[in-house]
Amino acid sequence: MRTTTYIQAINEAIREEMRRDENVFLMGEDVGRYGGLFRVTRNLFEEFGEERVRDTPISEQGFMGMATGAALVGMRPIVELMYMDFFMVCADQIFNQAAKMHYMTGGLVNVPLVIRGQHGGGKRYGSQHSQCVESTFAQFPGIKVVAPCTPYDAKGLLVSAIRDNNPVAFIEHKMLYFTRGELPDVGEETIVPIGKADVKREGKDLTLVSFSYTLLEALAAAEELKDEYGIDIEVVDLRSIVPLDTETLYASVQKTGRLLAVHESQSNCGIGGEIVARIYEEAPHLLQAPARRLGMAPVSLPVSQKLEEEVLPWKKNIKAAVLEMLEPVAA
Amino acid sequence: MRTTTYIQAINEAIREEMRRDENVFLMGEDVGRYGGLFRVTRNLFEEFGEERVRDTPISEQGFMGMATGAALVGMRPIVELMYMDFFMVCADQIFNQAAKMHYMTGGLVNVPLVIRGQHGGGKRYGSQHSQCVESTFAQFPGIKVVAPCTPYDAKGLLVSAIRDNNPVAFIEHKMLYFTRGELPDVGEETIVPIGKADVKREGKDLTLVSFSYTLLEALAAAEELKDEYGIDIEVVDLRSIVPLDTETLYASVQKTGRLLAVHESQSNCGIGGEIVARIYEEAPHLLQAPARRLGMAPVSLPVSQKLEEEVLPWKKNIKAAVLEMLEPVAA
Amino acid sequence: MPISVEADVLSSKAETVIEAAVLSNEQLTHMYRDMYLIRRVEESLLELAESGKIGGAMHTAIGHEGSAIGMAAALQPDDYLTCTYRGHHHSLARGMDPKRAIAEVLGKADGFAQGKGGSMHFIDPELGLMGANGIVGAQVPHAAGMALASHIRNEGRIAITFFGEGALYQGVMHETFNISQRWSLPVIFYCENNRYSEMTPISRTSSVRDIYMFARAYGMNSIQIDGNDVEVVYQAISQAAERARAGKGPTFIEGITYRLAGHMAGDLETYRTPEEIEAQRAHEPLVVLTRRLLERGVKEKVLADIRTQVEAEVIEAVEFAQNSPWPDPAVAYTDVYAL
Amino acid sequence: MPISVEADVLSSKAETVIEAAVLSNEQLTHMYRDMYLIRRVEESLLELAESGKIGGAMHTAIGHEGSAIGMAAALQPDDYLTCTYRGHHHSLARGMDPKRAIAEVLGKADGFAQGKGGSMHFIDPELGLMGANGIVGAQVPHAAGMALASHIRNEGRIAITFFGEGALYQGVMHETFNISQRWSLPVIFYCENNRYSEMTPISRTSSVRDIYMFARAYGMNSIQIDGNDVEVVYQAISQAAERARAGKGPTFIEGITYRLAGHMAGDLETYRTPEEIEAQRAHEPLVVLTRRLLERGVKEKVLADIRTQVEAEVIEAVEFAQNSPWPDPAVAYTDVYAL
Ligand SMILES: Cc1ncc(C[n+]2csc(CCOP(=O)(O)OP(=O)(O)O)c2C)c(N)n1
Ligand SMILES: Cc1ncc(C[n+]2csc(CCOP(=O)(O)OP(=O)(O)O)c2C)c(N)n1
Ligand SMILES: [Mg+2]
Ligand SMILES: [Mg+2]
């Protein structure tokens, strides 16, 4: 074991898979010689050369479509979107093309494509460079969606995503890039299966389910709730948004009887509401109190530090939501 | 009073508003001389000429952006997307631009823009020409979303949308175009406020909330459930998806104690799950049984008639869902 | 609007030389058979659509056959191809079985995609047919990506993509043209210019008159040809393919043609006169090819026999498709994710 | 890479003639003041960013000032303008108050958008500034739409939009160029070609060498100019504006310039050498303008006084912004929907 940054873990997964399978190649803006705006792809150009590490023009719809085409004939492209927000200039190629090809053709073709990049707020990038995208990607069947929080899960899930025969959105978070965590030594394969959640903290009073960066805020909130109120929160890391591991989730709620889903994408038609709807569909008897969700406030993220803190579903807001749900208990 | 088709009602709303306000103009593919692929804009070119009724090239991102620019300086463009599915080639201009301008600028500018077009299945157009879009549009604060079912609501809501100072997605359904309904005589103004739901059928056993075409399927299901099982369904027509009229909705659930939300967009992260999450957040005490939602099956719509019928959340599937919820009662 | 293919355009600056007779009578006769088959399949589909058996949007390529037939003869069977919703002709020219094609359009179990794709999504990877598309322009980067795959793997395979002149101003085209030229990918961009984009003539929406000239802006080899003459199409695509395989990069071909039927089944066609359509019939692919064959001494009797054969084959295919069962409803839930 | 503006390019086929001295010393001196102000504001913002007071992406226009100053002098105060995240210079040149500009970048209550927009979203409708944009290319159709509005209303106003050379291959640009030319809208497309798109030189991703030649493909009037010479920029934009107001349609202007600072605060700048940057300083806008003024007999003392004045103004503006309070958290929830 050793500790690395989240960035390093992603970089390793790409490098190892590119060594393992020559069909894997990388495309995106500044991903080559510069090593990526956030330096996630550093040194890959040096090792694999310009054939397999391609600096593109600012033509997302074009290169996303080309990646889809290459995947249709057996390549395994990894496309970096510099900011996940830019999915909006290539939405057709992602949702109408890559995600649907397998189904529309009755299974005649596959699209083993990885779309990766960072999303999220907290660094004052404002409305067009901070929105979380997992709930939008989850609306289109045919594409898998993962949003790991730790370096270990990031590396393990990216390896799985690259080997998966479907388009996979691999969602990073700008607040996680320099966080550190344990990773098996180089050489040891790290694989985390897509579609498996992970209990990151045991507890009995309430199940707090989250993923990506807000999971860290959830864990911090859980610690403070323990210290300040003796409340014992179980924190489940969804890790994969599509497919959703309801089994792990319901097992936790069976213990706690209470569920709060937290995510940074919009509440409206978000994954939190989806989780609430699912449990009432599939296992309402597990709940001792109404299941709840907490998402981003219904605004596009403002730039000012003070305004950003106000609307993000972070520790302060998570604690408030939990206390509201446990009032009867706490009281 | 008189009866007209849904198409005629939309056409009248545009014509009357174009006569009333010279800032209103129309852009889109084949909307001018041909009168629109579905003939919704017929005869407008003849009356208003090529300055105000503009045939565009197949450049959705471009003309959506131009409409946004024109709206930023006080025009009131109406843009037709031939199929709402095509929002994916202009998603950036809709969600990242038009929807955010007012907020990002601290209210310095408005974008009075109407985006209209038809969505939905039932006519074998397949995966790329049939998906329902309201749940995706609802994920982006700053844009209002309406999806009327009757000619009256269509005309009244379109008038409101054109006069609104925000971007409004006016969502039509290809299955509704030739349905007929009552409309006030020409000359009498028809206005339906955005954000107000409407009870289309009274009942006491369960609240069925829907909108757009599936509302007709819900009403048909309600009739059969009455005849076959004596079940008395209240059908609420949401009409507006954003903002959501929870007041009318909760008032109905207060009567019935049961809620089923039906929509044709995907279940996953859809408006149905959102409605379920909202009521558990805001009024869980009204529910005598778990609230449920029924959306499109998790596939992109296949072409074959038999497969389409299978996956659409229409009468057969609505009845099954209701019976499942009322088993305790029915039994 | 007459077909505007002037000699000076054909012998344009682009490195493509169109010569007279290059195909043997045997090849031309074979092409006649395939072209007639496509024509009859499309006509039969229109009849089925009019009788209400086909829903959605069904676009036929009646009048466009020249590009498909010329392409099939010029390329290798494993070269990649993508096309539009108007893609029946390319698929049939590359050898798709009419039975499975028609069954798919009818949404039957024997369709190549069990009725999931339908008329707008023709595909058969075994024939290098990598997908028709319902979104204008979307199939174009796919072909460029296949060319990129071939380039990275050093396969020697090329990719061709077909699109209409109305697609030129969909942004993704521009993005793809630039990247393909910059990376000098083995891809052919074939524009079937039928002068209409749905109900709107290209002249109303395009800032340029000659579409092929636009591709020159990228420094791309680009020519305009008579898309209704299989011999011309064959040569243009052969030479473009040669350049591509030699690593000389993409070629843009504007094939002038004309859509003899409506944009899709049910098109009111209020935007053009019967006279305009009639005038075009004088130079449509089947007429051009028939004339060519007779000029070269092939007997009308030979062609008549071919037509009789084809008629029978198409009638059988239509029957097969109509008798094919509906897909099992369970099929609706499969193929969402690949294993 | 030297600035490649050859005489023959300036006197290119496009209907634009660049003459020598056209501006009075008084005008040039005023321009000097504005340019120096922009320079100092940007440098101050970089310092604030380095001290951690500015988050997110903060792009300065150090080296780009020529285009903004020339534009402000050439256009009417109510002509519409849109630009990119690199838009401080256009806004200041059009008269935005440095106090409110800096306060906005710092996310303070006195910012023009109360801290909601920040550095990438400069706007002031009163000055015709209709919005900077964080998405490459997105502001370009906005300007075309404003030109369309002016055209429909017969206002005589024109629109100008600024973008970088890297934006050329974002599909929406192509769509907008075509429509604008086809509808002959009163819009000016000004490309600030600083030779880099973030960390990638344009030569690596573009199939064409001279960006301005590309616009010719649409039949658009298009020229390449020295974007670092305010007098050249002034003339090019004046003439383009005249054409636009006369109903002759859009003009594309490629202004060659150079970004002297990093792409954004924090840029490692591993992609270019200090020597390259040094070489460019010899021809940067402030140097060019200073030389011009001295050549025309304006005394250095006059310029020195201006600099002293501006320094004071900028220091005051920075103080104002730093002392400005944080916005009330409640502000985060307003302005989602207009009434
Ligand atoms: C992005 C997108 N916009 C609009 C459409 C609707 N549409 C389908 S075909 C077509 C016309 C295309 O014309 P052209 O490219 O000339 O091809 P043709 O149909 O003439 O063969 C349009 C506008 C679409 N399918 N996709
Ligand atoms: C659609 C989109 N893709 C990518 C980006 C990230 N990005 C911001 S600036 C930039 C480079 C733009 O270069 P250029 O157009 O030359 O303008 P410059 O920054 O040099 O002034 C990129 C890739 C973006 N903002 N929007
Ligand atoms: Mg056409
Ligand atoms: Mg640049």
Side-chain angles (χ1 to χ4, degrees):
Chain A
M1 280 288 180
R2 60 202 163 114
T3 78
T4 73
T5 61
Y6 189 85
I7 285 182
Q8 178 62 21
I10 294 167
N11 181 276
E12 277 185 21
I14 299 173
R15 175 179 286 101
E16 289 169 20
E17 289 307 295
M18 284 185 79
R19 286 179 181 164
R20 202 180 139 273
D21 180 351
E22 61 185 14
N23 288 315
V24 178
F25 72 104
L26 191 64
M27 285 205 283
E29 291 147 21
D30 303 322
V31 298
R33 292 162 183 78
Y34 190 71
L37 183 62
F38 294 94
R39 324 283 293 130
V40 175
T41 58
R42 68 195 306 171
N43 298 329
L44 295 173
F45 178 85
E46 288 69 9
E47 176 169 352
F48 301 102
E50 65 185 350
E51 273 298 292
R52 294 177 66 194
V53 182
R54 297 185 164 257
D55 282 322
T56 65
I58 311 172
S59 306
E60 288 84 359
Q61 189 92 275
F63 63 74
M64 192 63 72
M66 289 176 65
T68 300
L72 280 165
V73 297
M75 298 295 285
R76 295 186 167 273
I78 301 171
V79 173
E80 172 173 307
L81 284 178
M82 193 182 273
Y83 292 77
M84 272 295 186
D85 309 62
F86 306 155
F87 84 84
M88 294 194 211
V89 295
C90 50
D92 184 71
Q93 286 296 335
I94 299 172
F95 304 130
N96 235 353
Q97 306 297 333
K100 292 179 178 175
M101 281 293 170
H102 186 67
Y103 186 81
M104 285 194 306
T105 61
L108 291 176
V109 292
N110 300 340
V111 182
L113 164 68
V114 173
I115 300 166
R116 54 155 292 274
Q118 52 80 35
H119 75 172
K123 290 196 170 295
R124 298 177 268 167
Y125 279 85
S127 295
Q128 295 176 329
H129 289 71
S130 304
Q131 63 216 310
C132 284
V133 302
E134 78 285 348
S135 297
T136 304
F137 277 66
Q139 288 186 328
F140 300 89
I143 182 164
K144 297 181 179 179
V145 184
V146 302
C149 174
T150 67
Y152 181 90
D153 291 334
K155 183 172 181 180
L157 277 168
L158 186 48
V159 168
S160 297
I162 294 169
R163 299 183 189 180
D164 197 278
N165 286 326
N166 299 281
V168 180
F170 183 87
I171 303 172
E172 304 155 19
H173 196 296
K174 50 174 82 60
M175 293 290 291
L176 292 172
Y177 273 159
F178 297 100
T179 58
R180 301 185 68 84
E182 288 203 327
L183 217 56
D185 296 323
V186 189
E188 289 176 46
E189 201 171 52
T190 306
I191 298 189
V192 172
I194 294 174
K196 284 256 150 292
D198 181 42
V199 177
K200 289 281 198 297
R201 183 185 195 280
E202 304 256 337
K204 59 173 184 23
D205 298 331
L206 179 144
T207 298
L208 222 175
V209 58
S210 194
F211 52 88
S212 192
Y213 174 67
T214 43
L215 186 90
L216 295 188
E217 295 283 334
L219 287 166
E223 289 312 315
E224 294 188 9
L225 287 161
K226 180 75 184 171
D227 301 347
E228 296 164 17
Y229 304 86
I231 297 171
D232 198 2
I233 304 280
E234 176 143 311
V235 179
V236 177
D237 182 356
L238 219 43
R239 298 195 297 195
S240 297
I241 316 307
V242 177
L244 203 59
D245 178 4
T246 47
E247 197 180 303
T248 303
L249 192 58
Y250 297 163
S252 172
V253 178
Q254 184 142 35
K255 255 184 11 183
T256 66
R258 285 179 168 71
L259 174 63
L260 171 63
V262 176
H263 56 94
E264 200 182 305
S265 57
Q266 287 292 321
S267 279
N268 208 34
C269 295
I271 186 64
E274 174 62 25
I275 290 169
V276 170
R278 286 261 189 117
I279 195 164
Y280 279 107
E281 229 160 47
E282 300 169 355
H285 57 280
L286 301 177
L287 294 163
Q288 290 154 33
R292 295 282 294 272
R293 51 78 192 264
L294 173 68
M296 163 85 173
V299 304
S300 67
L301 206 62
V303 161
S304 177
Q305 192 169 359
K306 284 289 163 299
L307 302 180
E308 226 188 4
E309 287 164 3
E310 172 67 21
V311 296
L312 286 167
W314 287 4
K315 194 176 68 187
K316 180 171 112 287
N317 296 328
I318 294 171
K319 285 173 68 179
V322 169
L323 291 171
E324 209 184 305
M325 287 177 70
L326 290 175
E327 240 164 338
V329 183
Chain B
M1 279 287 180
R2 60 202 165 115
T3 79
T4 72
T5 61
Y6 189 85
I7 285 182
Q8 178 62 20
I10 295 167
N11 181 276
E12 278 185 20
I14 299 173
R15 174 179 287 101
E16 289 170 20
E17 289 306 297
M18 284 185 81
R19 286 178 181 165
R20 201 179 138 274
D21 180 350
E22 60 185 12
N23 289 314
V24 178
F25 73 104
L26 191 64
M27 288 205 281
E29 291 147 21
D30 302 322
V31 297
R33 293 161 182 79
Y34 190 71
L37 184 62
F38 294 93
R39 323 285 292 133
V40 175
T41 58
R42 68 195 306 170
N43 299 328
L44 295 173
F45 179 84
E46 288 69 10
E47 176 169 352
F48 301 102
E50 66 185 349
E51 274 298 292
R52 293 177 67 195
V53 182
R54 297 185 163 256
D55 282 322
T56 65
I58 311 173
S59 305
E60 287 84 358
Q61 189 92 274
F63 63 76
M64 192 63 72
M66 288 176 66
T68 300
L72 280 165
V73 296
M75 299 294 286
R76 296 187 168 272
I78 301 171
V79 173
E80 172 173 307
L81 285 178
M82 192 182 274
Y83 293 76
M84 272 294 185
D85 310 62
F86 306 155
F87 83 84
M88 293 194 210
V89 294
C90 50
D92 185 70
Q93 285 296 336
I94 299 172
F95 304 129
N96 235 353
Q97 307 297 333
K100 291 179 179 176
M101 281 294 169
H102 185 68
Y103 186 82
M104 284 194 305
T105 61
L108 291 176
V109 291
N110 300 339
V111 181
L113 164 68
V114 173
I115 301 166
R116 54 153 295 272
Q118 53 79 34
H119 73 173
K123 289 197 171 295
R124 296 176 271 168
Y125 279 86
S127 296
Q128 296 177 329
H129 289 71
S130 305
Q131 61 216 309
C132 284
V133 303
E134 79 285 346
S135 297
T136 304
F137 277 67
Q139 288 186 328
F140 300 89
I143 183 164
K144 297 181 179 179
V145 184
V146 302
C149 174
T150 68
Y152 181 91
D153 291 335
K155 183 172 181 180
L157 277 168
L158 185 48
V159 168
S160 297
I162 294 169
R163 297 182 190 181
D164 198 278
N165 286 325
N166 298 281
V168 180
F170 183 89
I171 303 172
E172 302 156 18
H173 196 296
K174 50 174 81 63
M175 294 290 290
L176 291 172
Y177 273 158
F178 297 99
T179 57
R180 301 185 69 83
E182 287 203 328
L183 216 56
D185 296 324
V186 189
E188 290 176 46
E189 201 171 52
T190 306
I191 298 188
V192 172
I194 294 174
K196 286 256 151 293
D198 181 44
V199 176
K200 289 280 198 294
R201 184 184 195 279
E202 304 258 336
K204 58 174 186 19
D205 296 332
L206 179 144
T207 297
L208 222 175
V209 59
S210 194
F211 53 89
S212 191
Y213 174 68
T214 43
L215 186 90
L216 294 188
E217 295 282 335
L219 287 166
E223 288 311 315
E224 293 188 10
L225 287 161
K226 179 76 185 171
D227 301 347
E228 296 164 18
Y229 305 86
I231 298 172
D232 198 2
I233 304 278
E234 176 143 312
V235 179
V236 177
D237 182 355
L238 218 44
R239 298 195 297 195
S240 297
I241 315 308
V242 177
L244 203 59
D245 178 4
T246 46
E247 199 179 302
T248 302
L249 192 58
Y250 299 163
S252 172
V253 178
Q254 184 142 37
K255 260 188 359 187
T256 65
R258 285 180 168 70
L259 173 64
L260 172 63
V262 176
H263 57 94
E264 198 182 307
S265 56
Q266 286 291 321
S267 280
N268 208 32
C269 295
I271 186 65
E274 175 61 26
I275 289 170
V276 170
R278 286 261 189 118
I279 195 164
Y280 279 107
E281 231 160 46
E282 301 168 355
H285 58 282
L286 300 178
L287 293 164
Q288 289 155 34
R292 296 280 295 270
R293 50 77 192 266
L294 172 68
M296 162 87 174
V299 305
S300 66
L301 206 63
V303 161
S304 177
Q305 192 169 0
K306 283 288 163 299
L307 302 179
E308 226 188 3
E309 287 164 3
E310 172 68 21
V311 295
L312 286 167
W314 286 4
K315 197 177 65 186
K316 179 170 116 286
N317 296 326
I318 295 171
K319 285 174 68 179
V322 168
L323 290 172
E324 209 183 304
M325 288 175 71
L326 290 175
E327 240 166 336
V329 183
Chain C
M1 176 165 59
I3 292 189
S4 70
V5 186
E6 308 86 18
D8 69 303
V9 172
L10 292 185
S11 61
S12 68
K13 277 172 258 45
E15 309 152 27
T16 306
V17 192
I18 305 297
E19 285 157 14
V22 292
L23 295 168
S24 71
N25 284 1
E26 190 191 346
Q27 288 168 298
L28 286 173
T29 310
H30 182 79
M31 287 178 158
Y32 179 86
R33 188 201 162 282
D34 292 351
M35 191 184 285
Y36 192 72
L37 175 79
I38 294 170
R39 178 67 56 95
R40 292 296 301 128
V41 167
E42 294 287 52
E43 288 169 346
S44 310
L45 286 171
L46 268 184
E47 284 162 28
L48 289 164
E50 275 144 28
S51 72
K53 293 204 173 74
I54 299 170
M58 210 266 301
H59 312 79
T60 67
I62 296 173
H64 282 231
E65 299 90 345
S67 58
I69 298 292
M71 171 277 297
L75 297 184
Q76 297 301 316
D78 67 346
D79 285 331
Y80 301 119
L81 180 149
T82 70
C83 57
T84 73
Y85 46 83
R86 195 181 310 286
H88 303 166
H89 55 321
H90 309 115
S91 303
L92 293 167
R94 285 282 283 251
M96 181 183 272
D97 177 352
K99 290 194 178 71
R100 308 206 59 204
I102 299 172
E104 182 64 27
V105 177
L106 292 176
K108 299 301 193 74
D110 291 302
F112 53 80
Q114 297 151 281
K116 283 177 173 172
S119 170
M120 292 200 279
H121 299 290
F122 271 42
I123 186 167
D124 185 347
E126 310 240 303
L127 299 172
L129 299 170
M130 300 312 299
N133 212 295
I135 301 300
V136 166
Q139 77 285 359
V140 173
H142 296 168
M146 292 163 198
L148 174 61
S150 171
H151 171 78
I152 292 177
R153 294 171 171 157
N154 232 310
E155 283 180 340
R157 268 170 152 177
I158 69 156
I160 188 167
T161 182
F162 291 89
F163 51 88
E165 81 294 338
L168 189 70
Y169 297 114
Q170 181 66 210
V172 72
M173 306 286 289
H174 174 62
E175 300 183 352
T176 306
F177 291 153
N178 174 62
I179 299 178
S180 301
Q181 180 67 20
R182 184 64 184 72
W183 293 356
S184 131
L185 299 177
V187 56
I188 300 172
F189 300 106
Y190 192 109
C191 175
E192 294 184 53
N193 181 356
N194 61 11
R195 276 78 61 80
Y196 288 92
S197 160
E198 292 219 336
M199 295 65 189
T200 301
I202 186 66
S203 55
R204 190 175 304 146
T205 56
S206 174
S207 60
V208 303
R209 185 178 146 284
D210 288 311
I211 299 296
Y212 82 103
M213 285 301 291
F214 195 90
R216 300 260 176 100
Y218 305 87
M220 198 182 294
N221 178 46
S222 176
I223 57 164
Q224 183 183 60
I225 62 169
D226 178 351
N228 289 346
D229 183 331
V230 288
E231 237 172 346
V232 171
V233 173
Y234 168 82
Q235 290 179 76
I237 295 181
S238 301
Q239 292 170 42
E242 212 171 288
R243 292 185 88 254
R245 286 188 226 278
K248 292 185 184 163
T251 295
F252 184 102
I253 301 173
E254 177 189 3
I256 304 290
T257 186
Y258 191 79
R259 165 164 61 66
L260 293 169
H263 168 70
M264 56 198 250
D267 180 354
L268 303 175
E269 298 193 59
T270 54
Y271 51 86
R272 60 180 185 180
T273 64
E275 292 69 30
E276 175 182 317
I277 302 171
E278 253 335 286
Q280 295 292 342
R281 292 195 188 282
H283 194 73
E284 62 109 324
L286 199 55
V287 168
V288 171
L289 180 53
T290 309
R291 203 185 300 126
R292 182 80 34 91
L293 282 160
L294 297 176
E295 280 164 11
R296 301 222 186 133
V298 176
K299 295 269 160 305
E300 159 57 23
K301 169 86 173 64
V302 176
L303 307 184
D305 292 347
I306 290 175
R307 291 198 297 275
T308 321
Q309 267 176 27
V310 170
E311 294 294 351
E313 187 182 339
V314 173
I315 287 166
E316 189 195 340
V318 171
E319 259 173 27
F320 169 88
Q322 293 204 305
N323 298 334
S324 171
W326 291 112
D328 173 347
V331 165
Y333 303 100
T334 60
D335 306 319
V336 179
Y337 290 96
L339 300 178
Chain D
M1 174 167 57
I3 292 188
S4 70
V5 184
E6 309 86 17
D8 69 303
V9 171
L10 293 185
S11 60
S12 68
K13 277 175 261 37
E15 311 153 25
T16 305
V17 192
I18 305 297
E19 283 157 15
V22 291
L23 295 168
S24 71
N25 285 0
E26 190 191 346
Q27 288 168 299
L28 286 173
T29 310
H30 181 78
M31 286 177 157
Y32 178 85
R33 188 202 163 282
D34 292 352
M35 191 184 286
Y36 192 70
L37 176 78
I38 294 171
R39 178 68 56 96
R40 291 298 298 131
V41 167
E42 295 286 52
E43 287 169 346
S44 311
L45 286 172
L46 269 184
E47 283 161 29
L48 290 165
E50 275 144 26
S51 72
K53 294 205 172 72
I54 300 170
M58 210 269 297
H59 311 79
T60 66
I62 297 173
H64 282 230
E65 299 88 347
S67 58
I69 299 292
M71 171 276 298
L75 297 185
Q76 297 302 317
D78 67 346
D79 285 331
Y80 301 119
L81 180 150
T82 69
C83 57
T84 73
Y85 47 84
R86 195 182 308 287
H88 303 167
H89 55 322
H90 308 115
S91 302
L92 293 167
R94 283 284 282 254
M96 181 182 273
D97 177 353
K99 290 193 176 73
R100 309 205 61 204
I102 300 172
E104 181 65 28
V105 177
L106 292 176
K108 299 301 193 73
D110 292 303
F112 54 80
Q114 297 152 281
K116 283 177 172 173
S119 169
M120 292 200 279
H121 300 289
F122 271 41
I123 187 166
D124 185 345
E126 310 241 303
L127 299 172
L129 299 169
M130 300 312 300
N133 213 295
I135 301 300
V136 165
Q139 77 285 0
V140 172
H142 297 167
M146 292 163 199
L148 174 61
S150 172
H151 171 77
I152 292 177
R153 294 171 171 157
N154 232 309
E155 282 180 341
R157 269 170 150 178
I158 68 157
I160 188 168
T161 182
F162 290 89
F163 50 89
E165 81 294 339
L168 189 70
Y169 297 114
Q170 182 65 210
V172 72
M173 306 286 289
H174 174 62
E175 300 182 355
T176 306
F177 292 154
N178 174 62
I179 299 178
S180 301
Q181 179 67 22
R182 183 63 184 73
W183 293 355
S184 140
L185 299 177
V187 56
I188 300 172
F189 300 105
Y190 192 109
C191 176
E192 294 183 55
N193 181 357
N194 60 11
R195 276 75 65 78
Y196 289 91
S197 162
E198 292 219 334
M199 295 65 189
T200 302
I202 185 67
S203 55
R204 190 175 303 145
T205 56
S206 173
S207 60
V208 302
R209 183 177 147 285
D210 288 310
I211 299 296
Y212 82 104
M213 285 301 292
F214 195 89
R216 300 262 175 97
Y218 305 86
M220 198 182 295
N221 179 46
S222 177
I223 55 165
Q224 183 182 60
I225 63 170
D226 178 351
N228 290 345
D229 184 330
V230 286
E231 240 173 345
V232 171
V233 173
Y234 169 81
Q235 291 178 75
I237 294 180
S238 301
Q239 291 169 43
E242 212 170 293
R243 291 185 87 252
R245 287 189 223 280
K248 292 187 184 161
T251 295
F252 185 101
I253 300 173
E254 176 188 4
I256 304 291
T257 186
Y258 191 79
R259 164 164 62 66
L260 293 168
H263 168 70
M264 56 198 252
D267 180 355
L268 302 175
E269 297 191 61
T270 54
Y271 50 88
R272 60 182 185 178
T273 63
E275 293 68 32
E276 175 183 314
I277 302 172
E278 256 332 288
Q280 294 293 341
R281 291 194 188 282
H283 194 74
E284 61 109 326
L286 201 54
V287 168
V288 172
L289 181 53
T290 308
R291 203 186 298 126
R292 182 81 33 91
L293 282 159
L294 298 175
E295 280 164 11
R296 303 228 182 127
V298 176
K299 295 270 162 304
E300 160 58 23
K301 168 86 174 61
V302 176
L303 306 185
D305 292 346
I306 290 175
R307 291 198 297 273
T308 321
Q309 268 176 26
V310 170
E311 293 296 349
E313 186 182 341
V314 174
I315 287 165
E316 190 195 341
V318 171
E319 258 171 29
F320 169 88
Q322 300 225 54
N323 298 333
S324 171
W326 289 112
D328 173 348
V331 165
Y333 302 100
T334 60
D335 305 320
V336 179
Y337 290 96
L339 300 178

